[in-house]
Amino acid sequence: MMTYIELWKAKQAWIDLSKEERGNYLTALAPAIQQLLESGVQIVSWGNNEASTFSKAEYDYFAVWTFPEIGSVKNFESMVEGAGWYNYFHQVNAMGNAISPQEVMAAMINL
């Protein structure tokens, strides 16, 4: 199982769209998200990045997903790029196999 984390914030191109144009763009994404869910992808959480967060990342929104395997992640990344998402948002991503805290700490020790 792969965990995928997205952090994003609006570019000026998004801000320049009307509310109607923004709504139309986001509505058009709904079928693709539904298709992901039907293929075994899970949404763990979406949210606003709270201003009061200690050492806050400079992004306004986040999404955490789980994917059954790397192929579904690559399909997702292609879908996001193909939808023109990066024209409207600055985004960073993190991805990795879901492992235990002990495995992560062992990897940190063995750098």
Side-chain angles (χ1 to χ4, degrees):
M1 171 135 352
M2 304 294 296
T3 300
Y4 199 93
I5 301 166
E6 303 173 287
L7 297 169
W8 71 91
K9 62 184 174 182
K11 289 182 175 180
Q12 190 62 47
W14 182 256
I15 294 166
D16 290 345
L17 294 177
S18 69
K19 285 186 180 183
E20 181 179 359
E21 290 169 316
R22 291 180 209 162
N24 290 341
Y25 179 82
L26 295 175
T27 298
L29 297 179
I33 292 171
Q34 184 60 39
Q35 183 179 12
L36 286 169
L37 298 175
E38 291 170 2
S39 72
V41 175
Q42 296 179 344
I43 296 172
V44 176
S45 180
W46 279 34
N48 298 315
N49 189 9
E50 295 291 328
S52 63
T53 303
F54 177 77
S55 193
K56 178 183 177 282
E58 293 302 315
Y59 293 87
D60 297 320
Y61 307 98
F62 66 86
V64 181
W65 307 78
T66 59
F67 290 82
E69 42 80 29
I70 192 67
S72 60
V73 171
K74 294 305 177 189
N75 289 339
F76 169 74
E77 290 175 330
S78 294
M79 180 197 76
V80 171
E81 189 172 7
W85 183 263
Y86 299 113
N87 296 328
Y88 296 119
F89 301 97
H90 297 284
Q91 181 165 321
V92 296
N93 304 313
M95 173 185 69
N97 286 309
I99 58 176
S100 71
Q102 294 81 7
E103 290 171 295
V104 171
M105 287 186 258
M108 293 169 63
I109 291 168
N110 293 316
L111 280 179

